[in-house]
Amino acid sequence: MDSTPKRAAESATEMVQVVLPNDANPLGFILGGTVMHLIDIAGAIACHRHTRSLLVTAAVDDLQFLHPIKVGDLIILKSRVTCVFNTSLEVLVDVYSEETLTGRRQMTSRAFLTFVAIDRDGHRLKVPPLLVETDEERRVCEEALARRAARLRRKSEVARSESLKSEV
Ligand SMILES: CC(C)(COP(=O)(O)OP(=O)(O)OC[C@H]1O[C@@H](n2cnc3c(N)ncnc32)[C@H](O)[C@@H]1OP(=O)(O)O)[C@@H](O)C(=O)NCCC(=O)NCCS
């Protein structure tokens, strides 16, 4: 993989789509699962642009749905790489609704995801460094270390409880 350092701006991605009836529940609001799918895609695109490799999603952090997004509204997803580790990288995805007729925008969700870079045989690949340019980018990247530690702790808790179950 090309190991030239990259700026977050080089891989930052914005996805926009209109919410159609097919995406909605009987109340006319977009399904949570559809939003989760789009978050995964928006996060993956930014990470693909950063690594130019194959990737798998390793983790999605805590996800909240602050406001419903109605059929006919736009859903906007903005993703940017926030921190790079060794073979994994963290990406932030912010989700907004926009009313088509008024332009009113609201943030509806925010999620941090972790992707792992792999080759076609599933071997892990080292990810190019991230050039941190602003104080805000530096802060978010520094905080990523604590988020990563919490994720890996949760992962081993889940793995431990699974192995306890299989012993029963
Ligand atoms: C994600 C996956 C590759 C991790 O493999 P693993 O053998 O458990 O992990 P490794 O020890 O090789 O770690 C590889 C990297 O992933 C990171 N990682 C692994 N699990 C993680 C998790 N749950 N959260 C955050 N990071 C994680 C590790 O910290 C390591 O990062 P680093 O190299 O930057 O330090 C593996 O569990 C997997 O393939 N899971 C299924 C992925 C999938 O199907 N996703 C949905 C469809 S794409």
Side-chain angles (χ1 to χ4, degrees):
M1 189 191 297
D2 179 6
S3 59
T4 313
K6 286 192 187 153
R7 297 177 297 119
E10 292 177 67
S11 56
T13 296
E14 180 167 327
M15 276 170 48
V16 184
Q17 72 181 57
V18 66
V19 178
L20 295 171
N22 218 21
D23 305 318
N25 65 18
L27 295 166
F29 301 141
I30 193 169
L31 295 164
T34 304
V35 178
M36 285 153 66
H37 173 73
L38 293 172
I39 287 174
D40 192 28
I41 303 280
I45 292 172
C47 292
H48 279 303
R49 285 173 157 174
H50 185 86
T51 63
R52 296 295 172 194
S53 74
L54 299 175
L55 298 163
V56 288
T57 317
V60 181
D61 294 2
D62 167 57
L63 186 58
Q64 312 277 336
F65 298 99
L66 303 177
H67 307 284
I69 310 179
K70 302 187 299 294
V71 168
D73 285 353
L74 302 180
I75 177 167
I76 299 159
L77 298 103
K78 295 186 180 189
S79 57
R80 66 181 165 97
V81 172
T82 49
C83 204
V84 158
F85 307 111
N86 182 31
T87 64
S88 66
L89 68 171
E90 183 192 73
V91 60
L92 171 64
V93 183
D94 283 331
V95 185
Y96 302 85
S97 62
E98 183 183 307
E99 288 181 359
T100 13
L101 298 185
T102 62
R104 181 169 172 261
R105 244 183 214 211
Q106 274 187 303
M107 181 193 253
T108 61
S109 297
R110 159 167 282 199
F112 286 98
L113 293 84
T114 306
F115 288 85
V116 179
I118 56 168
D119 66 16
R120 289 193 184 279
D121 300 317
H123 300 125
R124 317 284 182 260
L125 297 174
K126 192 159 173 47
V127 172
L130 177 70
L131 283 175
V132 176
E133 293 182 304
T134 65
D135 288 347
E136 159 70 0
E137 286 180 2
R138 189 163 299 106
R139 181 185 63 75
V140 177
C141 187
E142 282 167 8
E143 290 170 359
L145 300 179
R147 286 190 295 273
R148 177 178 189 266
R151 264 171 223 134
L152 294 177
R153 235 183 356 259
R154 279 201 300 279
K155 179 183 176 178
S156 45
E157 282 163 14
V158 172
R160 208 172 34 246
S161 65
E162 263 312 298
S163 69
L164 286 178
K165 263 195 254 163
S166 61
E167 283 170 17
V168 176

